[in-house]
Amino acid sequence: MDFEEMEMDRQAKNQSYLRKKNKKDIIWLLRDMSRSYSDIARVLKLSNTAVAKIADDLIADNLICRESDTKGRNGIMLRINSDYGYIFAADLSGRTIKICAADMSGKIILRHTISDVVSFRRSDFDRMIDQMKEMMHTPQLNGKKLCCIGLATPGKLNESGEFLLNPRFKGFGNMSVKEELRKAFGCEVVVKNDVNLAMEGEKAYGSLKEVSNALMLHIDVGTGSAFMLDGKVYVGCHGFAGEIGYFRLNMFSASPDNYDNLYYSNYFDSLSLFSALSILQRETSYGNEGYLSEYVKEKGISCSEIPIEAILEAYRAGDALTQKVLNSSAKVIATVANNLCELLDIDTIVFNGAVTELGQRYLDEIVPYTGNRNVQFSSLMENAALMGALNAGLTQFFESSL
């Protein structure tokens, strides 16, 4: 190949790259809202002719469509073809498995939950698959194309979808959840860490749309975090960025009864609601009177059977013991969050997980230790990871279709 041929080949590759990039940019804009040809041309700094040619290609692929051939005040509007198919999204991070189906515009068509999942087992995974298959035969989805599945899960996974570290999941061994879903449904599957997806969901559909840098802290059965830097969720070299549950809190031993500073463990995961529950179960069994001791009597259960929901209720009701334990952990959580924000120059901290059910009183305990930063609960609350999984599924489908 001579120089002239090489130059022509290079130019052809550049044109192909730019055309694919422009298609991707148009899809991204239309996922946010319907837009006119001229509006797209203005935002992407392209000519109206170029936008028309690219839009024609996307229309031919059924990925987008015209809302009407009649020109309105803003011209002919383009939108995502919501009827192309649908996406399944599922969130395995909490005590309830959340599943939803959404059209290609991101509108949720169908929801389902599987309750009381504490220690996630292979049988629970199979129940989720069975539930999805059942949903496929409902009037809302029957006959439509399943385009992708987005899955939010706690812990560490490798690229093939095998768990590297997830103490809550039992009996999975080296099974790839991604491959199992592919075999069950014959479509693309994207599996990501739940807290990273919660941040992605908050960015796409929640209160972080206009925010470029943020820290999310997930406080629930376990603890985790996610970072958004320059508008993108930072996942690190191996996709594990934000796994703060294994941070050491202190290097020295302390009395196990000193919970003013929460020295029950040397690890940040000791600040989870599950750890707080263990403390409160123990203190109640020692005869500490209050909301939880009355709860035990009313329900006819042992102290070891007190659920997380009860300590959330006790905190909101103003129970002194519960507030002492949770407020102690809040100070440490806030200090660690502040240090991370100082390191990365972040001004926004978002809390996610069951901790959001503690209300403003809990945030008031955290704010004094975080400087002048914006501290808030996730606006999507318990649905943040599910919406992130939905967004990831849509993104995966559109990127592979271009």
Side-chain angles (χ1 to χ4, degrees), residues 58-307:
L58 293 171
I59 290 170
D61 291 334
N62 286 322
L63 296 176
I64 70 172
C65 59
R66 299 183 183 91
E67 287 194 338
S68 170
D69 286 329
T70 304
K71 284 189 177 182
R73 183 175 180 180
N74 298 316
I76 295 174
M77 304 293 286
L78 295 171
R79 63 172 174 82
I80 295 292
N81 180 12
S82 58
D83 295 327
Y84 184 96
Y86 66 94
I87 303 288
F88 267 140
D91 174 19
L92 311 183
S93 63
R95 291 150 285 153
T96 298
I97 299 174
K98 303 182 186 72
I99 307 168
C100 76
D103 66 24
M104 304 313 290
S105 70
K107 180 182 177 182
I108 294 179
I109 307 168
L110 207 56
R111 289 180 182 267
H112 193 84
T113 58
I114 300 173
S115 302
D116 302 322
V117 180
V118 179
S119 181
F120 194 91
R121 300 183 182 278
R122 175 61 194 264
S123 58
D124 295 311
F125 185 75
D126 292 337
R127 285 168 65 198
M128 181 190 74
I129 290 177
D130 290 341
Q131 184 57 57
M132 286 179 171
K133 288 181 176 179
E134 190 175 313
M135 292 167 71
M136 293 175 75
H137 295 291
T138 61
Q140 297 95 320
L141 303 180
N142 192 31
K144 295 183 178 179
K145 179 182 178 181
L146 173 58
C147 298
C148 189
I149 297 174
L151 186 68
T153 175
K156 295 182 177 181
L157 300 94
N158 59 22
E159 290 185 3
S160 65
E162 298 171 3
F163 288 115
L164 299 179
L165 181 62
N166 196 331
R168 183 167 166 256
F169 282 34
K170 309 294 183 182
F172 281 79
N174 61 352
M175 184 195 91
S176 167
V177 291
K178 182 185 290 188
E179 192 57 36
E180 288 296 313
L181 288 171
R182 276 179 182 158
K183 286 192 290 187
F185 296 98
C187 68
E188 290 189 81
V189 178
V190 55
V191 182
K192 292 185 179 182
N193 174 268
D194 58 327
V195 190
N196 287 339
L197 283 178
M199 177 73 91
E200 192 173 317
E202 200 68 37
K203 175 64 175 174
Y205 303 108
S207 62
L208 298 180
K209 281 188 175 184
E210 305 303 321
V211 176
S212 296
N213 300 285
L215 165 68
M216 176 175 281
L217 285 169
H218 179 88
I219 312 294
D220 202 297
V221 175
T223 59
S225 70
F227 305 97
M228 181 169 64
L229 305 175
D230 296 329
K232 295 183 179 180
V233 177
Y234 177 73
V235 298
C237 295
H238 306 98
F240 305 150
E243 285 293 339
I244 62 172
Y246 299 96
F247 275 21
R248 285 188 179 274
L249 290 176
N250 63 292
M251 299 302 294
F252 308 101
S253 62
S255 167
D257 294 324
N258 177 13
Y259 57 82
D260 283 340
N261 294 310
L262 215 76
Y263 287 146
Y264 288 95
S265 168
N266 279 339
Y267 295 97
F268 193 79
D269 215 33
S270 67
L271 304 172
S272 69
L273 293 180
F274 187 79
S275 294
L277 174 64
S278 298
I279 295 167
L280 289 164
Q281 287 173 338
R282 185 196 66 195
E283 295 295 321
T284 304
S285 72
Y286 287 170
N288 280 283
E289 297 292 330
Y291 186 99
L292 294 177
S293 61
E294 292 300 315
Y295 182 92
V296 166
K297 292 176 187 176
E298 180 185 335
K299 300 294 183 180
I301 59 176
S302 67
C303 294
S304 63
E305 295 176 297
I306 297 173

Side-chain angles (χ1 to χ4, degrees), residues 306-325:
I306 297 173
I308 284 180
E309 288 77 9
I311 70 171
L312 300 176
E313 294 169 8
Y315 187 92
R316 293 193 299 265
D319 179 66
L321 175 63
T322 305
Q323 289 191 350
K324 184 177 182 180
V325 172

